[in-house]
Amino acid sequence: MSLSKELIEQKLREKFSGENIVFTEYRDELTISFDKKVVVEVCRFLKDDDELQFKLCEDVTAIDWARRKNRFTVVYHIYSLKNNFRLSLKADVDESDCSIDSVSSIWKTANWEEREAYDMYGIKFNNHPDLRRMYMPEEFEYHPLRKDFPLMGIPGSNPLPKK
Amino acid sequence: MQKLTKEDVHPKIVQALLQDTDITVEDALENEMILNMGPQHPATHGVLRLLLRLDGETVIACVPELGYLHRGYEKMAENMTYYEFIPHTDRLDYLAPMANNVAWVLAVEKLAGIEAPPRAQYIRMMITELARIASHLVAIGAFAMDVGALTVFLWTLREREKILDIWDILCGARFTNSYTRIGGVANDAQPEALAKVKWFVDQYLENLDECERLLNTNRIFIERLEGIGVVTAEDAIDLGLTGPSLRGSGVEFDLRRSKPYMFYNEMDFKVITYPEGDSLARYFVRADETRESIKIINQILDKMPAGETLLNQPKKVLPKKTEIYSKMEELIHDFMIVNFGINPPEGEIYSAVENPKGELGFYLVSKGEGRPWKCKIRSPSFVNLQVVPHLVKGHMISDVVAIVGSIDPVMGEADK
């Protein structure tokens, strides 16, 4: 018996009645967008609710929209092993306040995923236990997956290690 | 060997290493040892660097450092068409390139809203399962070699060689295959290739038993792995483990079963789980999974339908080469697809498949252009590696090798 989209919608609307939560569906996948202030509460609710049980966090990443008002969107893909149901969560982040609360206290997986997103997009995750760069060296100043970072790289930005 | 000093390690890494302790850096380097393992260490399966804080021979803390093989595939994907990225997926998990090819084209097809013909899907399933066997064979062999049983490595690689020969007949390449195409596969599976697959599955189980007898009755092998690196089911889910490593903890999660793609819902196979959660259980899961793969391949060979292997959808699928040379329409479509791409409709999808290492997902965002606006590769090795610091804590330094081997990371995929 799989989980119905209506049930998730109804539960979230009940719990977060004051918040602006948008439900969209594309190619049979449900996406929930909300304000970045409630990200921790929504995620904790989705994980801890007895009927939903989204216990597996598959992926945390971000999208750089380049010219939009809210430049970044942080995207979470979570999975409910109990219901065999995948859900995408989205929260917009603006460049002027480029930070969002970390969900690594809810899913331990998010630790590295958020570090990767920080490395690639420069989005700061508040309350993250160990926010270092994932792939690039610690001295690197740029964030490579931002749209304004050129494909060929910036010459001299990544110096060779000293002998 | 030079002793590592404080200056050789970045202060932030030192800070991560010295978490949950009140001793100062000077003290730590004085009383305990910080050992640098990798990136050029044969047992780390590539360029994984582990910084270990040791008290005597016991590991107190471990900080993995990734990025030595970071090629920026996500950035490159944003700057090339969907077709052009197929060869790059070979270089992700280079032990199972066919499985990555399939994962990528399934994601693009989902984004574009098309579906390959049944025969192509069956061929894809067959190569995915063969790739799973090949990958698990390397995993078992290398794992046994890490803990000191060298012979098995030669025997499992002998078996894998036969699969590479099948690739050779099927698509002309042994290692980096790029066999799939959007909307199908590059060419139909030749009768010789199918005959070779049949021959392979018929003799495989006997040879696997032979390899297993070497290991399962080997007391050194068993004692080095039993109870080493135990992860409970709850922790495994929390840490995002997928694939054989998760099933070794007793969680019955396999995307082929829980979210069937292609024709896996018509296949009869068992999801292998072992409840122990230690390194030995993860090895057992891999060995048994290849048996299930053989079962699936046998069913595929029986059921494989005849018909087209490439979808007839001129705006999305490259036409056949012979037709490009003789027909104007096809030439135009070929020109448009090669130069401008397939332009899937605006939208975003996440498509995940069960790869040998775990769940390989592609998150694609399209703006209706020929190139993806964003491509995120959710690689199983990357997420699975996160469990290593939790597993090695309190174990001896020689167990680190066994634990990393049992997780079976491929750095090409972890570093993207």
Side-chain angles (χ1 to χ4, degrees):
Chain A
M1 165 61 198
S2 76
L3 187 65
S4 73
K5 286 158 187 163
E6 288 75 30
L7 181 71
I8 300 175
E9 184 160 356
Q10 181 205 334
K11 274 186 172 265
L12 276 174
R13 290 233 187 275
E14 225 167 76
K15 175 88 183 170
F16 301 95
S17 50
E19 297 295 334
N20 179 25
I21 299 179
V22 183
F23 294 78
T24 45
E25 213 182 320
Y26 184 69
R27 299 227 194 277
D28 284 340
E29 279 185 10
L30 188 62
T31 305
I32 304 177
S33 318
F34 43 78
D35 194 85
K36 71 174 183 179
K37 286 198 292 275
V38 293
V39 59
V40 175
E41 287 98 84
V42 171
C43 288
R44 193 171 288 287
F45 174 73
L46 288 170
K47 189 194 175 188
D48 290 345
D49 189 88
D50 276 340
E51 270 178 272
L52 305 178
Q53 294 201 15
F54 285 93
K55 295 224 161 147
L56 182 68
C57 175
E58 289 179 314
D59 192 25
V60 179
T61 186
I63 311 170
D64 181 1
W65 296 109
R67 286 198 195 85
R68 275 193 199 171
K69 185 168 156 274
N70 289 317
R71 181 171 168 183
F72 299 104
T73 302
V74 180
V75 187
Y76 306 82
H77 293 283
I78 56 177
Y79 193 88
S80 168
L81 295 168
K82 187 181 166 229
N83 303 305
N84 281 336
F85 195 89
R86 182 175 288 130
L87 192 63
S88 311
L89 311 176
K90 276 183 177 179
D92 283 341
V93 174
D94 193 40
E95 202 181 1
S96 57
D97 175 26
C98 205
S99 66
I100 188 167
D101 289 337
S102 164
V103 295
S104 56
S105 58
I106 302 166
W107 298 289
K108 280 188 198 146
T109 335
N111 188 326
W112 278 25
E113 303 277 7
E114 287 179 345
R115 273 176 64 190
E116 194 196 345
Y118 161 69
D119 188 2
M120 292 294 141
Y121 290 96
I123 298 167
K124 290 227 160 50
F125 289 88
N126 305 328
N127 309 323
H128 190 284
D130 180 24
L131 196 64
R132 284 180 290 130
R133 279 177 178 270
M134 193 75 237
Y135 294 132
M136 304 308 288
E138 214 56 64
E139 295 82 13
F140 194 68
E141 292 168 27
Y142 306 94
H143 298 286
L145 274 183
R146 286 191 174 193
K147 288 285 176 186
D148 49 12
F149 188 84
L151 178 64
M152 64 165 291
I154 297 171
S157 63
N158 204 356
L160 291 168
K162 51 184 183 298
K163 285 244 168 82
Chain B
M1 193 194 275
Q2 258 182 325
K3 196 187 166 196
L4 213 62
T5 59
K6 196 175 71 175
E7 283 70 38
D8 294 329
V9 186
H10 195 276
K12 282 194 173 171
I13 300 176
V14 174
Q15 195 192 336
L17 262 178
L18 299 181
Q19 261 177 7
D20 335 311
T21 173
D22 48 3
I23 47 175
T24 61
V25 175
E26 283 74 22
D27 266 350
L29 292 171
E30 192 66 30
N31 304 320
E32 296 168 342
M33 186 165 64
I34 291 181
L35 185 77
N36 181 45
M37 185 175 164
Q40 267 85 20
H41 189 286
T44 54
H45 295 228
V47 282
L48 170 66
R49 182 188 183 198
L50 296 170
L51 283 137
L52 305 166
R53 196 171 110 216
L54 301 168
D55 180 9
E57 262 201 83
T58 312
V59 179
I60 298 174
C62 165
V63 173
E65 273 284 298
L66 279 77
Y68 287 90
L69 203 61
H70 181 62
R71 295 148 294 177
Y73 269 144
E74 289 170 357
K75 185 85 179 172
M76 281 159 78
E78 288 171 11
N79 289 282
M80 56 177 64
T81 61
Y82 295 91
Y83 265 106
E84 281 175 307
F85 196 67
I86 296 175
H88 291 289
T89 57
D90 291 336
R91 277 89 178 161
L92 289 174
D93 176 0
Y94 41 73
L95 295 177
M98 284 288 204
N100 301 335
N101 292 164
V102 174
W104 172 254
V105 292
L106 282 177
V108 177
E109 283 168 9
K110 188 173 175 188
L111 184 68
I114 55 176
E115 201 170 306
R119 186 173 171 86
Q121 304 261 30
Y122 268 88
I123 294 174
R124 283 177 186 180
M125 262 158 64
M126 184 181 79
I127 60 175
T128 314
E129 292 310 315
L130 282 170
R132 191 182 315 280
I133 296 172
S135 169
H136 282 350
L137 282 173
V138 177
I140 293 168
F143 182 36
M145 192 171 67
D146 287 346
V147 294
L150 190 72
T151 320
V152 186
F153 183 65
L154 303 172
W155 287 14
T156 54
L157 251 72
R158 181 196 61 198
E159 290 305 303
R160 174 171 174 263
E161 192 66 22
K162 294 167 188 166
I163 297 179
L164 297 190
D165 285 344
I166 296 171
W167 295 161
D168 199 357
I169 303 174
L170 206 56
C171 63
R174 285 163 56 79
F175 210 68
T176 44
N177 310 104
S178 310
Y179 176 55
T180 57
R181 296 287 182 274
I182 295 160
V185 289
N187 53 275
D188 196 359
Q190 305 86 341
E192 304 93 73
L194 294 177
K196 182 117 192 184
V197 173
K198 183 81 192 132
W199 168 79
F200 173 78
V201 296
D202 285 343
Q203 53 90 55
Y204 173 75
L205 290 178
E206 206 178 306
N207 290 329
L208 178 69
D209 288 343
E210 205 174 42
C211 297
E212 279 207 310
R213 270 202 298 279
L214 267 185
L215 292 176
N216 295 358
T217 54
N218 186 336
R219 204 172 144 188
I220 302 171
F221 182 76
I222 301 287
E223 282 184 5
R224 278 204 63 179
L225 301 177
E226 208 169 14
I228 298 296
V230 180
V231 55
T232 59
E234 210 164 282
D235 281 350
I237 295 170
D238 203 15
L239 285 160
L241 276 181
T242 45
S245 311
L246 178 63
R247 294 191 283 275
S249 294
V251 182
E252 199 178 327
F253 174 58
D254 188 324
L255 284 168
R256 291 176 293 172
R257 175 60 51 79
S258 50
K259 282 236 172 240
Y261 48 97
M262 298 198 276
F263 290 103
Y264 276 115
N265 49 356
E266 293 174 13
M267 295 293 145
D268 169 37
F269 66 99
K270 219 174 101 192
V271 177
I272 305 288
T273 54
Y274 277 82
E276 292 88 358
D278 56 0
S279 302
L280 192 61
R282 291 193 277 276
Y283 149 71
F284 282 143
V285 170
R286 289 206 175 84
D288 286 355
E289 250 176 38
T290 61
R291 289 202 175 84
E292 295 303 313
S293 292
I294 291 288
K295 220 159 98 185
I296 297 175
I297 295 171
N298 272 326
Q299 295 170 52
I300 292 169
L301 290 175
D302 288 343
K303 284 185 185 172
M304 191 177 294
E308 281 292 310
T309 52
L310 205 58
L311 188 69
N312 184 14
Q313 168 68 272
K315 298 273 185 222
K316 300 269 186 274
V317 179
L318 270 180
K320 290 202 177 77
K321 203 79 185 169
T322 46
E323 288 171 357
I324 298 169
Y325 292 132
S326 56
K327 290 178 186 153
M328 194 61 210
E329 280 284 301
E330 265 74 12
L331 181 65
I332 294 168
H333 289 312
D334 182 75
F335 179 84
M336 295 304 281
I337 289 177
V338 169
N339 285 284
F340 303 107
I342 60 170
N343 303 347
E346 204 163 314
E348 46 203 74
I349 56 106
Y350 179 83
S351 158
V353 300
E354 186 75 24
N355 246 30
K357 310 279 186 294
E359 176 190 331
L360 175 66
F362 286 104
Y363 177 58
L364 292 173
V365 179
S366 166
K367 275 193 159 188
E369 296 161 352
R371 297 162 178 187
W373 180 258
K374 148 125 197 127
C375 161
K376 158 84 194 198
I377 304 160
R378 189 265 186 215
S379 57
S381 298
F382 172 71
V383 184
N384 287 0
L385 267 178
Q386 194 171 179
V387 83
V388 169
H390 297 266
L391 293 191
V392 299
K393 227 170 256 179
H395 284 299
M396 306 293 260
I397 189 164
S398 59
D399 296 333
V400 176
V401 175
I403 288 168
V404 172
S406 75
I407 296 293
D408 185 27
V410 166
M411 294 314 289
E413 185 176 57
D415 282 350
K416 288 179 259 197

